[in-house]
Short mmCIF file of all heavy atoms in Angstrom, two decimals:
data_model
loop_
_atom_site.label_atom_id
_atom_site.label_comp_id
_atom_site.label_asym_id
_atom_site.label_seq_id
_atom_site.Cartn_x
_atom_site.Cartn_y
_atom_site.Cartn_z
N THR A 340 -3.19 11.07 -2.41
CA THR A 340 -1.98 11.87 -2.40
C THR A 340 -0.66 11.07 -2.61
O THR A 340 0.28 11.64 -3.06
CB THR A 340 -1.83 12.71 -1.05
OG1 THR A 340 -1.79 11.73 0.00
CG2 THR A 340 -3.02 13.58 -0.88
N ALA A 341 -0.74 9.82 -2.36
CA ALA A 341 0.42 8.92 -2.48
C ALA A 341 -0.02 7.61 -3.06
O ALA A 341 -0.98 6.98 -2.60
CB ALA A 341 1.03 8.68 -1.15
N LEU A 342 0.65 7.18 -4.19
CA LEU A 342 0.27 5.94 -4.87
C LEU A 342 1.49 5.17 -5.25
O LEU A 342 2.50 5.74 -5.73
CB LEU A 342 -0.50 6.42 -6.20
CG LEU A 342 -0.92 5.33 -7.16
CD1 LEU A 342 -1.91 4.41 -6.53
CD2 LEU A 342 -1.46 5.92 -8.45
N ASP A 343 1.39 3.89 -5.10
CA ASP A 343 2.47 2.93 -5.41
C ASP A 343 1.93 1.98 -6.41
O ASP A 343 1.12 1.12 -6.06
CB ASP A 343 2.98 2.27 -4.15
CG ASP A 343 4.22 1.42 -4.41
OD1 ASP A 343 4.54 1.19 -5.60
OD2 ASP A 343 4.88 0.99 -3.50
N LEU A 344 2.44 1.95 -7.66
CA LEU A 344 2.09 1.04 -8.70
C LEU A 344 3.34 0.20 -9.14
O LEU A 344 3.41 -0.18 -10.29
CB LEU A 344 1.53 1.78 -9.88
CG LEU A 344 0.17 2.51 -9.67
CD1 LEU A 344 -0.19 3.34 -10.91
CD2 LEU A 344 -0.91 1.56 -9.34
N SER A 345 4.21 -0.09 -8.19
CA SER A 345 5.44 -0.79 -8.61
C SER A 345 5.09 -2.25 -9.00
O SER A 345 4.23 -2.80 -8.47
CB SER A 345 6.34 -0.84 -7.33
OG SER A 345 6.77 0.45 -6.93
N TYR A 346 5.79 -2.67 -10.06
CA TYR A 346 5.68 -3.97 -10.56
C TYR A 346 4.30 -4.34 -11.07
O TYR A 346 3.96 -5.50 -11.24
CB TYR A 346 6.11 -5.04 -9.53
CG TYR A 346 7.35 -4.67 -8.78
CD1 TYR A 346 7.30 -4.39 -7.44
CD2 TYR A 346 8.62 -4.54 -9.43
CE1 TYR A 346 8.45 -4.06 -6.75
CE2 TYR A 346 9.72 -4.12 -8.77
CZ TYR A 346 9.61 -3.88 -7.38
OH TYR A 346 10.76 -3.53 -6.68
N CYS A 347 3.50 -3.34 -11.37
CA CYS A 347 2.15 -3.59 -11.99
C CYS A 347 2.37 -3.60 -13.50
O CYS A 347 2.30 -2.54 -14.15
CB CYS A 347 1.17 -2.50 -11.60
SG CYS A 347 0.82 -2.50 -9.82
N ILE A 348 2.60 -4.76 -14.03
CA ILE A 348 3.08 -4.86 -15.45
C ILE A 348 1.96 -4.61 -16.46
O ILE A 348 2.24 -4.38 -17.65
CB ILE A 348 3.70 -6.32 -15.70
CG1 ILE A 348 2.65 -7.42 -15.40
CG2 ILE A 348 4.86 -6.50 -14.79
CD1 ILE A 348 3.12 -8.75 -15.78
N ASN A 349 0.73 -4.59 -16.04
CA ASN A 349 -0.39 -4.33 -16.99
C ASN A 349 -0.82 -2.89 -17.00
O ASN A 349 -1.75 -2.51 -17.73
CB ASN A 349 -1.67 -5.22 -16.70
CG ASN A 349 -1.32 -6.70 -16.89
OD1 ASN A 349 -0.54 -7.02 -17.81
ND2 ASN A 349 -1.99 -7.52 -16.18
N ILE A 350 -0.20 -2.03 -16.19
CA ILE A 350 -0.51 -0.64 -16.26
C ILE A 350 0.60 0.06 -17.11
O ILE A 350 1.78 -0.20 -17.03
CB ILE A 350 -0.38 -0.02 -14.77
CG1 ILE A 350 -1.59 -0.50 -13.97
CG2 ILE A 350 -0.35 1.52 -14.80
CD1 ILE A 350 -2.88 0.08 -14.33
N GLY A 351 0.13 0.99 -17.94
CA GLY A 351 0.98 1.73 -18.83
C GLY A 351 0.71 3.19 -18.84
O GLY A 351 0.07 3.77 -17.91
N ALA A 352 0.97 3.89 -19.95
CA ALA A 352 0.81 5.31 -20.10
C ALA A 352 -0.61 5.70 -20.01
O ALA A 352 -1.04 6.78 -19.42
CB ALA A 352 1.40 5.75 -21.39
N THR A 353 -1.53 4.90 -20.51
CA THR A 353 -3.00 5.25 -20.49
C THR A 353 -3.47 5.28 -19.10
O THR A 353 -4.20 6.22 -18.70
CB THR A 353 -3.79 4.20 -21.26
OG1 THR A 353 -3.27 4.11 -22.63
CG2 THR A 353 -5.20 4.55 -21.32
N GLY A 354 -3.13 4.28 -18.25
CA GLY A 354 -3.57 4.32 -16.86
C GLY A 354 -2.92 5.39 -16.04
O GLY A 354 -3.61 6.05 -15.27
N LEU A 355 -1.71 5.70 -16.27
CA LEU A 355 -0.96 6.85 -15.61
C LEU A 355 -1.64 8.18 -15.97
O LEU A 355 -1.81 9.09 -15.18
CB LEU A 355 0.48 6.81 -15.85
CG LEU A 355 1.27 5.70 -15.28
CD1 LEU A 355 2.74 5.68 -15.85
CD2 LEU A 355 1.28 5.76 -13.80
N GLU A 356 -1.97 8.30 -17.25
CA GLU A 356 -2.64 9.55 -17.68
C GLU A 356 -3.94 9.73 -16.97
O GLU A 356 -4.30 10.82 -16.54
CB GLU A 356 -2.84 9.49 -19.26
CG GLU A 356 -3.41 10.77 -19.73
CD GLU A 356 -3.59 10.73 -21.25
OE1 GLU A 356 -3.36 9.63 -21.86
OE2 GLU A 356 -3.93 11.79 -21.91
N ALA A 357 -4.77 8.62 -16.85
CA ALA A 357 -6.02 8.71 -16.22
C ALA A 357 -5.87 9.11 -14.73
O ALA A 357 -6.64 9.92 -14.19
CB ALA A 357 -6.68 7.36 -16.27
N ILE A 358 -4.80 8.56 -14.06
CA ILE A 358 -4.52 8.90 -12.64
C ILE A 358 -4.23 10.41 -12.55
O ILE A 358 -4.68 11.15 -11.70
CB ILE A 358 -3.38 8.10 -12.13
CG1 ILE A 358 -3.79 6.58 -12.04
CG2 ILE A 358 -2.88 8.62 -10.78
CD1 ILE A 358 -2.59 5.69 -11.85
N GLY A 359 -3.33 10.84 -13.47
CA GLY A 359 -2.95 12.32 -13.42
C GLY A 359 -4.05 13.26 -13.63
O GLY A 359 -4.09 14.33 -13.01
#
Side-chain angles (χ1 to χ4, degrees):
T340 60
L342 177 64
D343 187 348
L344 294 174
S345 298
Y346 317 115
C347 295
I348 60 176
N349 294 331
I350 290 290
T353 303
L355 290 172
E356 183 179 6
I358 292 166

